[in-house]
Amino acid sequence: MNKIFADLPNTIFDVMSQAARDLNAINLGQGFPDDPGPLDIREKAADAVLNGYNQYPSMMGIPELRQAIATHYAHWHGVQLDPMSEVMVTSGATEALTGSILGLVQPGDEVLVFQPMYDSYVPIIRLAGGIPKFLRLEPPHWRLPEEAIRAAITPKTRYVILNNPLNPAAVVYPREDLEMLGRICQEYNLIAICDEVWEHVVFDGRGHIPLIAIPGMRDRTVKIGSAGKMFGLTGWKIGFVCAAPHILRVLAKAHQFITFTTPPNLQVAVAYGLGKSDDYFLQMRADLARSRDRLSKGLTSLGFPVLQSQGTYFLNVDLAPLGLNESDVAFCKRIVHEHKVAAIPVSAFYEENHVTSVVRFCFSKKDATLDTALERLTHVLHG
């Protein structure tokens, strides 16, 4: 058995979600909405199943979706992409990340990884023979630490993985942080693999800035997006990979031997969705921000120290000021068993040097779901 996978424990996400099912708890742990998603986009997918092409589509993605991705990013981010040589469709962003890492990282290459991090990065880096180098981000601001980044770089460092907006920290990185990281990538000849699945889920007038748009980064960045996060259709697993032709050619070879292709009916529907007016995306943000504020206000009124959520489906509570004699893991296990609400301990997003006081809640839920969760959490802090 491959020890990289055989020795992995069950993820805390599986543990907490199973506990939520077993205990009939409200699941504010996993990041998915509790509504079915936009009706018009789902109707497009259904029509494409019944009346469209259901055989193998192009490995790179159907042409209309690749064009829609390029048009969408030109409009929203000012990034000009050739849809035929710089855009590829994958079966979810996790596959895009896997193919990017396996296609680029060679044995002995060092990869800079910021903690907290999505849990798929490290096993795939190790599967490729790479060596993850961990950089610790800290609450409440989770900013990128320039001195620590420079100190971590060695002659073997080849890549950096950046998740922006950052799950679970709910930070949308400002231009100054991205320009700093871009300068380092150029100075040390690094390629950036950018997990930008939350790019449209940003609040309070913020705009996502892709690293690929930073001067000097156009030819040394892999940009990864997700239709599931854009449209609240997380089960569809439609990912996007954008990169300069010399990089994308290699990533396409990895994709060829992972999933090869992606359901064509869902691609048709996503192409339609990407062409929706700005109003759709702005209203989606406004609706999620209202849910964020509802949960944030409720938790604050119960005495929880809530950290700012700038984007994603999540907000965090820092237990440290409360002086509780328990870790984030113990706290999450207690509230799911005793109060029937599931959350995620942020220490689960660290490999080493963990932050152990922060708990993540998902707010992409209906008002009634959030209100019931808040009611159940009323006596967590005060008996």
Side-chain angles (χ1 to χ4, degrees), residues 94-354:
T94 300
E95 193 234 316
L97 287 160
T98 298
S100 297
I101 294 167
L102 293 179
L104 295 173
V105 176
Q106 299 186 75
D109 287 349
E110 293 177 352
V111 184
L112 302 181
V113 183
F114 297 105
Q115 304 180 111
M117 62 196 173
Y118 183 49
D119 60 354
S120 83
Y121 301 161
V122 171
I124 304 305
I125 291 169
R126 289 178 172 148
L127 183 66
I131 301 165
K133 300 285 292 291
F134 297 107
L135 292 155
R136 186 179 194 256
L137 306 180
E138 300 181 9
H141 301 301
W142 314 95
R143 295 293 292 274
L144 301 180
E146 181 172 3
E147 289 186 11
I149 296 171
R150 291 184 178 277
I153 293 172
T154 77
K156 293 182 179 180
T157 308
R158 297 285 183 269
Y159 304 97
V160 59
I161 297 181
L162 176 68
N163 179 205
N164 177 39
L166 176 58
N167 168 28
V171 170
V172 179
Y173 280 107
R175 180 174 292 276
E176 62 212 69
D177 285 39
L178 300 172
E179 289 179 346
M180 175 271 292
L181 186 60
R183 287 193 300 271
I184 290 175
C185 287
Q186 293 168 72
E187 184 177 339
Y188 293 96
N189 194 27
L190 308 181
I191 289 177
I193 300 171
C194 293
D195 176 355
E196 299 185 353
V197 300
W198 299 102
E199 61 193 328
H200 265 297
V201 189
V202 296
F203 308 129
D204 307 320
R206 291 180 178 84
H208 169 72
I209 303 170
L211 193 65
I212 199 170
I214 295 297
M217 294 303 294
R218 181 66 173 77
D219 292 333
R220 59 173 67 248
T221 300
V222 177
K223 174 177 171 51
I224 293 170
S226 166
K229 299 300 192 294
M230 287 183 180
F231 303 113
L233 296 163
T234 59
W236 279 23
K237 303 299 290 180
I238 303 290
F240 320 140
V241 185
C242 304
H246 70 284
I247 296 176
L248 194 69
R249 278 195 297 270
V250 177
L251 305 190
K253 300 296 178 61
H255 168 62
Q256 178 178 1
F257 296 114
I258 299 174
T259 64
F260 176 64
T261 191
T262 298
N265 64 301
L266 300 183
Q267 293 192 53
V268 169
V270 170
Y272 163 80
L274 288 174
K276 289 170 79 72
S277 71
D278 290 8
D279 289 345
Y280 166 80
F281 295 96
L282 297 175
Q283 187 61 51
M284 176 267 288
R285 296 175 188 182
D287 291 344
L288 284 167
R290 189 184 62 81
S291 296
R292 174 202 61 176
D293 294 344
R294 191 181 193 92
L295 182 59
S296 178
K297 182 179 178 181
L299 289 171
T300 300
S301 72
L302 297 177
F304 289 97
V306 177
L307 302 180
Q308 184 185 41
S309 171
Q310 301 175 353
T312 76
Y313 289 164
F314 308 108
L315 60 79
N316 293 288
V317 166
D318 191 349
L319 304 175
L322 299 175
L324 300 177
N325 189 27
E326 60 185 343
S327 68
D328 57 346
V329 174
F331 177 86
C332 288
K333 289 182 177 178
R334 177 166 68 90
I335 66 169
V336 74
H337 282 91
E338 297 181 10
H339 302 275
K340 303 298 186 287
V341 176
I344 295 293
V346 167
S347 61
F349 296 83
Y350 288 74
E351 176 91 0
E352 61 184 33
N353 200 16
H354 303 66

